[in-house]
Amino acid sequence: MKLTKTLTFSLMASVALAGCGDTAGGGATRESIRAVGSSTVFPFAKQIAESFVRSNSGYTSPLIESTGTGGGVQLFCSGVGADTPDMVNASRRMKVSEFETCQSNGVEEIIELQVGLDGIAFASASSGIQLSLSPKIVYEALAKNPYGGEQTAKTWADVDPSLPAEPILVYGPPSTSGTRDALKELVLEAGCDSNPEMKALKEQDKDKHQQVCTEVRSDGAYVDQGEQDNLIVQKIESNPRAVGVFGFSYLDENADKVQGLSMNGVDPTYDNIASFAYPGARPLYVYVKKAHMNAIPGLDLYLAEWVKNWKAGGPLAEIGLVASPADVMASNEAKVNEQIALTKAELEAPAGE
Protein backbone atom coordinates (compact mmCIF):
# COMPACT_ATOMS: atom_id res chain seq x y z
CA MET A 1 0.00 0.00 0.00
CA LYS A 2 2.79 2.44 0.92
CA LEU A 3 4.77 1.57 -2.24
CA THR A 4 1.68 2.18 -4.35
CA LYS A 5 1.20 5.55 -2.67
CA THR A 6 4.80 6.54 -3.42
CA LEU A 7 4.67 5.42 -7.04
CA THR A 8 1.29 7.10 -7.55
CA PHE A 9 2.71 10.37 -6.25
CA SER A 10 5.76 10.16 -8.52
CA LEU A 11 3.71 9.43 -11.63
CA MET A 12 0.88 11.86 -10.90
CA ALA A 13 3.20 14.67 -9.88
CA SER A 14 5.21 14.28 -13.08
CA VAL A 15 2.04 14.71 -15.11
CA ALA A 16 0.78 17.54 -12.94
CA LEU A 17 4.04 19.43 -13.06
CA ALA A 18 3.91 19.25 -16.83
CA GLY A 19 0.79 21.39 -16.52
CA CYS A 20 -1.94 18.81 -17.08
CA GLY A 21 -3.85 19.80 -13.94
CA ASP A 22 -3.79 16.52 -12.02
CA THR A 23 -3.22 16.45 -8.26
CA ALA A 24 -0.71 14.51 -6.18
CA GLY A 25 -0.99 13.15 -2.69
CA GLY A 26 -4.46 14.60 -2.30
CA GLY A 27 -3.40 18.26 -2.50
CA ALA A 28 -2.48 21.04 -4.90
CA THR A 29 0.36 20.53 -7.37
CA ARG A 30 3.43 22.78 -7.55
CA GLU A 31 6.64 23.35 -9.43
CA SER A 32 8.69 24.91 -6.63
CA ILE A 33 10.73 23.12 -3.99
CA ARG A 34 9.27 23.44 -0.49
CA ALA A 35 11.34 23.19 2.70
CA VAL A 36 10.21 23.69 6.31
CA GLY A 37 11.95 23.53 9.68
CA SER A 38 14.70 25.05 11.77
CA SER A 39 15.06 28.80 12.25
CA THR A 40 18.80 28.21 12.70
CA VAL A 41 19.18 26.51 9.31
CA PHE A 42 16.74 28.97 7.67
CA PRO A 43 19.28 31.67 6.63
CA PHE A 44 21.57 29.04 5.10
CA ALA A 45 18.70 27.38 3.24
CA LYS A 46 17.57 30.79 1.95
CA GLN A 47 21.05 31.52 0.63
CA ILE A 48 21.16 28.13 -1.07
CA ALA A 49 17.77 28.90 -2.63
CA GLU A 50 19.11 32.18 -4.03
CA SER A 51 22.24 30.45 -5.32
CA PHE A 52 20.07 27.72 -6.89
CA VAL A 53 18.04 30.28 -8.85
CA ARG A 54 21.20 32.07 -10.06
CA SER A 55 22.77 28.78 -11.17
CA ASN A 56 19.64 27.29 -12.75
CA SER A 57 17.66 29.79 -14.80
CA GLY A 58 14.12 28.76 -15.55
CA TYR A 59 13.42 27.18 -12.17
CA THR A 60 11.03 28.67 -9.62
CA SER A 61 12.59 29.96 -6.42
CA PRO A 62 12.27 27.40 -3.56
CA LEU A 63 9.88 28.19 -0.73
CA ILE A 64 11.69 28.04 2.63
CA GLU A 65 9.58 28.24 5.81
CA SER A 66 10.85 28.72 9.36
CA THR A 67 8.57 26.48 11.44
CA GLY A 68 11.05 25.15 14.02
CA THR A 69 12.65 21.73 13.80
CA GLY A 70 9.94 19.84 15.68
CA GLY A 71 7.07 21.40 13.77
CA GLY A 72 8.93 21.00 10.50
CA VAL A 73 9.60 17.29 11.03
CA GLN A 74 5.92 16.78 11.85
CA LEU A 75 4.91 18.39 8.53
CA PHE A 76 7.62 16.50 6.65
CA CYS A 77 6.52 13.14 8.07
CA SER A 78 2.82 13.68 7.35
CA GLY A 79 3.08 11.83 4.03
CA VAL A 80 4.26 12.07 0.42
CA GLY A 81 2.67 14.24 -2.24
CA ALA A 82 2.71 17.76 -3.61
CA ASP A 83 0.79 19.05 -0.57
CA THR A 84 3.62 17.99 1.77
CA PRO A 85 7.15 19.44 2.12
CA ASP A 86 10.00 17.95 0.10
CA MET A 87 12.55 18.74 2.78
CA VAL A 88 12.94 19.63 6.44
CA ASN A 89 15.82 21.65 7.88
CA ALA A 90 16.83 20.53 11.37
CA SER A 91 19.13 21.90 14.06
CA ARG A 92 19.29 18.43 15.65
CA ARG A 93 19.19 14.90 14.31
CA MET A 94 15.86 13.26 13.53
CA LYS A 95 14.58 11.14 16.44
CA VAL A 96 13.87 7.43 16.03
CA SER A 97 10.22 8.08 16.95
CA GLU A 98 9.98 10.71 14.19
CA PHE A 99 11.56 8.32 11.69
CA GLU A 100 8.96 5.71 12.64
CA THR A 101 6.16 8.25 12.15
CA CYS A 102 7.53 9.05 8.70
CA GLN A 103 7.59 5.34 7.83
CA SER A 104 4.03 4.75 9.02
CA ASN A 105 2.83 7.67 6.87
CA GLY A 106 4.52 6.37 3.72
CA VAL A 107 7.67 8.51 3.87
CA GLU A 108 9.80 5.41 3.53
CA GLU A 109 13.06 6.62 1.99
CA ILE A 110 14.69 9.67 3.56
CA ILE A 111 18.04 11.16 2.59
CA GLU A 112 19.87 12.64 5.59
CA LEU A 113 22.50 15.32 5.01
CA GLN A 114 24.74 16.90 7.62
CA VAL A 115 25.18 20.31 6.01
CA GLY A 116 27.54 21.81 8.59
CA LEU A 117 28.04 22.68 12.25
CA ASP A 118 26.66 25.35 14.55
CA GLY A 119 26.98 26.27 18.20
CA ILE A 120 24.36 27.12 20.80
CA ALA A 121 25.67 30.57 21.62
CA PHE A 122 24.97 32.42 24.85
CA ALA A 123 25.26 36.15 24.30
CA SER A 124 24.61 39.59 25.77
CA ALA A 125 24.64 43.11 24.37
CA SER A 126 28.08 44.30 23.27
CA SER A 127 28.23 46.54 26.35
CA GLY A 128 26.04 44.27 28.46
CA ILE A 129 26.42 41.74 31.26
CA GLN A 130 29.64 39.71 31.36
CA LEU A 131 29.29 36.08 32.41
CA SER A 132 31.71 33.18 32.43
CA LEU A 133 29.32 30.24 32.10
CA SER A 134 29.43 26.46 32.36
CA PRO A 135 26.77 23.79 31.78
CA LYS A 136 26.47 23.48 35.58
CA ILE A 137 25.85 27.22 36.04
CA VAL A 138 23.32 27.36 33.21
CA TYR A 139 21.48 24.32 34.57
CA GLU A 140 21.29 25.67 38.11
CA ALA A 141 20.09 29.04 36.79
CA LEU A 142 17.44 27.75 34.39
CA ALA A 143 16.20 24.40 35.70
CA LYS A 144 12.68 24.33 37.10
CA ASN A 145 13.76 22.01 39.91
CA PRO A 146 17.57 21.84 40.02
CA TYR A 147 18.69 18.38 41.18
CA GLY A 148 15.06 17.73 42.12
CA GLY A 149 14.90 20.61 44.61
CA GLU A 150 13.23 24.01 44.70
CA GLN A 151 14.47 26.70 42.32
CA THR A 152 15.40 29.68 44.52
CA ALA A 153 18.04 31.48 42.42
CA LYS A 154 17.00 35.03 41.54
CA THR A 155 20.37 36.42 40.46
CA TRP A 156 23.46 34.98 38.76
CA ALA A 157 25.34 35.52 42.03
CA ASP A 158 22.85 33.19 43.74
CA VAL A 159 24.11 30.45 41.43
CA ASP A 160 27.81 31.34 41.63
CA PRO A 161 29.22 34.08 43.90
CA SER A 162 31.80 34.98 41.24
CA LEU A 163 29.02 36.15 38.92
CA PRO A 164 27.30 39.57 39.08
CA ALA A 165 24.28 40.04 41.35
CA GLU A 166 22.05 40.77 38.36
CA PRO A 167 18.63 39.16 37.85
CA ILE A 168 18.59 35.97 35.77
CA LEU A 169 16.88 36.86 32.50
CA VAL A 170 17.42 34.60 29.49
CA TYR A 171 15.63 34.88 26.14
CA GLY A 172 15.68 31.56 24.30
CA PRO A 173 14.04 29.17 21.86
CA PRO A 174 10.65 27.45 22.35
CA SER A 175 10.07 23.75 22.98
CA THR A 176 9.43 23.13 19.25
CA SER A 177 12.92 24.32 18.34
CA GLY A 178 15.88 22.08 17.61
CA THR A 179 17.99 24.69 19.37
CA ARG A 180 15.96 24.06 22.53
CA ASP A 181 16.52 20.30 22.14
CA ALA A 182 20.25 20.86 21.74
CA LEU A 183 20.26 23.24 24.72
CA LYS A 184 18.73 20.46 26.82
CA GLU A 185 21.09 17.74 25.62
CA LEU A 186 24.39 19.62 25.33
CA VAL A 187 24.11 22.09 28.20
CA LEU A 188 21.30 21.46 30.70
CA GLU A 189 21.68 17.68 30.89
CA ALA A 190 25.47 17.96 30.99
CA GLY A 191 25.20 20.42 33.88
CA CYS A 192 22.68 18.26 35.71
CA ASP A 193 24.88 15.16 35.36
CA SER A 194 27.74 16.96 37.08
CA ASN A 195 25.85 15.81 40.18
CA PRO A 196 26.60 12.09 40.85
CA GLU A 197 23.06 11.46 42.12
CA MET A 198 21.56 12.80 38.90
CA LYS A 199 23.96 10.76 36.80
CA ALA A 200 22.88 7.65 38.72
CA LEU A 201 19.21 8.61 38.27
CA LYS A 202 19.70 8.38 34.50
CA GLU A 203 20.24 4.64 34.86
CA GLN A 204 17.48 4.16 37.44
CA ASP A 205 14.64 6.25 35.98
CA LYS A 206 15.19 7.83 32.55
CA ASP A 207 11.88 9.70 32.52
CA LYS A 208 12.47 11.25 35.95
CA HIS A 209 16.03 12.14 34.95
CA GLN A 210 14.75 13.82 31.78
CA GLN A 211 12.23 15.85 33.74
CA VAL A 212 14.62 16.98 36.47
CA CYS A 213 17.52 17.68 34.12
CA THR A 214 15.82 19.38 31.17
CA GLU A 215 12.61 21.06 32.39
CA VAL A 216 13.10 24.83 32.25
CA ARG A 217 11.70 27.21 34.87
CA SER A 218 8.55 29.14 33.93
CA ASP A 219 8.69 32.01 36.43
CA GLY A 220 9.96 34.62 33.96
CA ALA A 221 13.69 33.97 34.30
CA TYR A 222 13.59 32.09 30.99
CA VAL A 223 11.49 33.73 28.27
CA ASP A 224 10.39 31.67 25.27
CA GLN A 225 10.87 34.00 22.30
CA GLY A 226 9.37 31.83 19.56
CA GLU A 227 11.05 30.80 16.32
CA GLN A 228 12.54 34.27 15.79
CA ASP A 229 16.24 34.32 16.63
CA ASN A 230 16.57 37.87 15.33
CA LEU A 231 14.00 38.94 17.92
CA ILE A 232 16.23 37.50 20.67
CA VAL A 233 19.10 39.59 19.32
CA GLN A 234 16.88 42.69 19.51
CA LYS A 235 15.78 41.85 23.07
CA ILE A 236 19.29 41.55 24.48
CA GLU A 237 20.53 44.52 22.48
CA SER A 238 17.91 46.68 24.19
CA ASN A 239 18.51 45.24 27.69
CA PRO A 240 22.16 45.11 28.83
CA ARG A 241 21.26 42.77 31.74
CA ALA A 242 19.64 40.12 29.53
CA VAL A 243 21.18 36.99 28.02
CA GLY A 244 20.12 35.38 24.74
CA VAL A 245 20.41 31.83 23.43
CA PHE A 246 20.56 31.20 19.67
CA GLY A 247 22.66 29.68 16.91
CA PHE A 248 26.25 30.86 16.36
CA SER A 249 25.35 32.25 12.92
CA TYR A 250 23.16 34.91 14.56
CA LEU A 251 26.00 35.84 16.91
CA ASP A 252 28.38 36.05 13.95
CA GLU A 253 25.92 38.09 11.90
CA ASN A 254 25.33 40.57 14.75
CA ALA A 255 28.89 40.83 16.07
CA ASP A 256 28.58 44.63 16.10
CA LYS A 257 25.59 44.43 18.48
CA VAL A 258 26.14 41.43 20.75
CA GLN A 259 29.00 39.53 22.39
CA GLY A 260 29.41 35.81 22.90
CA LEU A 261 29.69 34.49 26.46
CA SER A 262 32.26 31.80 27.19
CA MET A 263 31.32 28.26 28.23
CA ASN A 264 33.89 26.38 30.33
CA GLY A 265 36.30 29.18 29.46
CA VAL A 266 35.86 28.62 25.70
CA ASP A 267 34.41 31.36 23.49
CA PRO A 268 31.77 30.56 20.84
CA THR A 269 33.95 31.12 17.75
CA TYR A 270 34.11 29.46 14.34
CA ASP A 271 37.32 27.58 15.15
CA ASN A 272 36.13 26.44 18.60
CA ILE A 273 32.89 25.08 17.14
CA ALA A 274 34.70 23.39 14.24
CA SER A 275 36.99 21.59 16.71
CA PHE A 276 34.11 20.85 19.14
CA ALA A 277 36.13 22.61 21.86
CA TYR A 278 33.05 24.73 22.55
CA PRO A 279 30.53 22.66 24.60
CA GLY A 280 27.51 23.83 22.59
CA ALA A 281 28.78 22.67 19.18
CA ARG A 282 26.26 20.62 17.18
CA PRO A 283 25.61 19.34 13.63
CA LEU A 284 22.90 20.79 11.39
CA TYR A 285 20.84 18.61 9.05
CA VAL A 286 18.61 18.58 5.99
CA TYR A 287 16.22 15.67 5.36
CA VAL A 288 14.80 14.98 1.89
CA LYS A 289 12.07 12.67 0.61
CA LYS A 290 13.62 10.40 -2.00
CA ALA A 291 10.16 9.85 -3.52
CA HIS A 292 10.08 13.57 -4.40
CA MET A 293 13.47 13.63 -6.13
CA ASN A 294 12.10 12.84 -9.60
CA ALA A 295 8.75 14.54 -9.08
CA ILE A 296 9.73 18.06 -8.00
CA PRO A 297 11.71 19.94 -10.67
CA GLY A 298 15.23 20.91 -9.59
CA LEU A 299 15.26 19.15 -6.22
CA ASP A 300 18.43 17.26 -7.14
CA LEU A 301 20.05 20.50 -8.30
CA TYR A 302 19.08 22.23 -5.07
CA LEU A 303 20.87 19.54 -3.05
CA ALA A 304 23.91 19.84 -5.33
CA GLU A 305 23.91 23.57 -4.50
CA TRP A 306 24.37 22.73 -0.81
CA VAL A 307 27.45 20.65 -1.69
CA LYS A 308 28.91 23.49 -3.76
CA ASN A 309 28.48 26.02 -0.94
CA TRP A 310 29.09 24.22 2.38
CA LYS A 311 32.90 24.07 2.31
CA ALA A 312 35.16 26.04 4.69
CA GLY A 313 35.69 29.54 3.32
CA GLY A 314 32.64 29.19 1.07
CA PRO A 315 29.52 31.37 0.80
CA LEU A 316 27.75 29.69 3.73
CA ALA A 317 30.77 30.16 6.00
CA GLU A 318 30.55 33.89 5.27
CA ILE A 319 27.14 33.99 6.99
CA GLY A 320 28.10 31.82 9.96
CA LEU A 321 27.87 28.15 8.96
CA VAL A 322 30.79 26.15 10.35
CA ALA A 323 32.04 23.56 7.85
CA SER A 324 31.88 19.88 8.79
CA PRO A 325 35.15 17.88 8.90
CA ALA A 326 36.42 16.88 5.44
CA ASP A 327 35.47 13.20 5.79
CA VAL A 328 31.93 14.12 6.86
CA MET A 329 31.55 16.47 3.88
CA ALA A 330 32.75 13.71 1.54
CA SER A 331 30.30 11.12 2.89
CA ASN A 332 27.40 13.57 2.67
CA GLU A 333 28.31 14.53 -0.89
CA ALA A 334 28.07 10.81 -1.73
CA LYS A 335 24.58 10.74 -0.17
CA VAL A 336 23.55 13.53 -2.56
CA ASN A 337 25.10 11.93 -5.64
CA GLU A 338 23.88 8.40 -4.90
CA GLN A 339 20.63 9.34 -3.09
CA ILE A 340 21.48 7.04 -0.17
CA ALA A 341 18.55 6.55 2.21
CA LEU A 342 18.81 6.76 6.00
CA THR A 343 18.16 3.63 8.06
CA LYS A 344 16.65 3.25 11.51
CA ALA A 345 19.80 1.44 12.64
CA GLU A 346 21.88 4.53 11.82
CA LEU A 347 19.66 6.68 14.03
CA GLU A 348 19.81 4.16 16.86
CA ALA A 349 23.61 3.92 16.79
CA PRO A 350 25.48 5.85 19.51
CA ALA A 351 26.90 9.22 18.44
CA GLY A 352 30.13 8.95 16.54
CA GLU A 353 29.49 5.47 15.14
Side-chain angles (χ1 to χ4, degrees):
M1 182 65 180
K2 292 176 183 175
L3 178 60
T4 302
K5 184 178 180 182
T6 300
L7 291 175
T8 300
F9 165 64
S10 297
L11 292 170
M12 293 178 70
S14 297
V15 174
L17 297 173
C20 294
D22 289 316
T23 60
T29 62
R30 56 183 164 81
E31 294 187 359
S32 60
I33 297 162
R34 181 187 173 205
V36 295
S38 166
S39 61
T40 299
V41 183
F42 177 79
F44 308 128
K46 285 289 286 184
Q47 176 142 324
I48 293 299
E50 292 166 6
S51 180
F52 164 80
V53 172
R54 288 194 300 268
S55 301
N56 301 281
S57 60
Y59 285 94
T60 305
S61 180
L63 174 63
I64 315 295
E65 301 172 60
S66 178
T67 63
T69 296
V73 171
Q74 187 175 6
L75 290 168
F76 177 82
C77 289
S78 64
V80 293
D83 58 342
T84 67
D86 311 307
M87 311 171 63
V88 60
N89 304 316
S91 55
R92 54 145 173 94
R93 200 174 194 195
M94 180 177 282
K95 300 173 183 177
V96 172
S97 61
E98 292 169 333
F99 182 83
E100 291 172 341
T101 298
C102 267
Q103 299 286 294
S104 66
N105 288 333
V107 187
E108 294 184 314
E109 292 190 291
I110 302 167
I111 302 168
E112 177 191 66
L113 302 176
Q114 181 178 312
V115 296
L117 305 173
D118 185 43
I120 307 167
F122 287 76
S124 63
S126 54
S127 58
I129 189 170
Q130 294 275 0
L131 298 170
S132 180
L133 299 172
S134 69
K136 181 175 182 290
I137 288 172
V138 174
Y139 171 71
E140 291 179 2
L142 298 184
K144 182 174 182 179
N145 299 110
Y147 311 122
E150 183 183 357
Q151 175 59 269
T152 59
K154 301 296 183 185
T155 71
W156 291 103
D158 292 337
V159 177
D160 188 314
S162 68
L163 299 178
E166 295 285 357
I168 298 168
L169 176 59
V170 177
Y171 292 99
S175 58
T176 54
S177 168
T179 300
R180 178 73 163 265
D181 289 331
L183 171 65
K184 290 178 178 180
E185 180 183 345
L186 300 176
V187 180
L188 296 178
E189 192 169 339
C192 180
D193 286 345
S194 65
N195 180 299
E197 290 182 15
M198 293 299 104
K199 198 167 185 179
L201 181 62
K202 191 172 188 177
E203 300 297 325
Q204 300 162 4
D205 189 338
K206 278 191 174 183
D207 291 340
K208 181 67 174 177
H209 175 270
Q210 184 76 6
Q211 179 187 356
V212 171
C213 290
T214 66
E215 193 170 357
V216 175
R217 61 196 296 179
S218 56
D219 58 358
Y222 182 91
V223 182
D224 176 334
Q225 210 53 65
E227 296 288 353
Q228 299 294 328
D229 290 347
N230 278 322
L231 184 57
I232 297 177
V233 172
Q234 294 170 19
K235 288 285 188 180
I236 64 174
E237 187 186 6
S238 63
N239 184 348
R241 301 196 296 176
V243 172
V245 182
F246 39 65
F248 166 75
S249 61
Y250 287 88
L251 172 63
D252 190 56
E253 181 185 349
N254 296 280
D256 58 328
K257 303 173 185 175
V258 299
Q259 60 180 340
L261 302 175
S262 67
M263 182 75 65
N264 287 347
V266 180
D267 291 326
T269 65
Y270 185 101
D271 289 342
N272 288 338
I273 291 167
S275 67
F276 284 90
Y278 179 70
R282 57 172 174 171
L284 301 178
Y285 298 92
V286 166
Y287 293 92
V288 189
K289 292 173 184 171
K290 191 171 178 178
H292 286 207
M293 291 296 289
N294 294 324
I296 302 297
L299 186 53
D300 57 339
L301 298 174
Y302 179 80
L303 296 188
E305 208 64 33
W306 273 102
V307 176
K308 285 165 53 180
N309 287 272
W310 68 26
K311 296 176 176 63
L316 292 178
E318 293 178 3
I319 61 169
L321 184 74
V322 178
S324 298
D327 61 330
V328 175
M329 282 194 287
S331 66
N332 281 275
E333 183 174 357
K335 291 179 184 178
V336 170
N337 296 334
E338 301 170 33
Q339 296 186 18
I340 301 169
L342 175 68
T343 66
K344 182 179 177 181
E346 289 176 286
L347 287 176
E348 291 175 330
E353 291 188 8

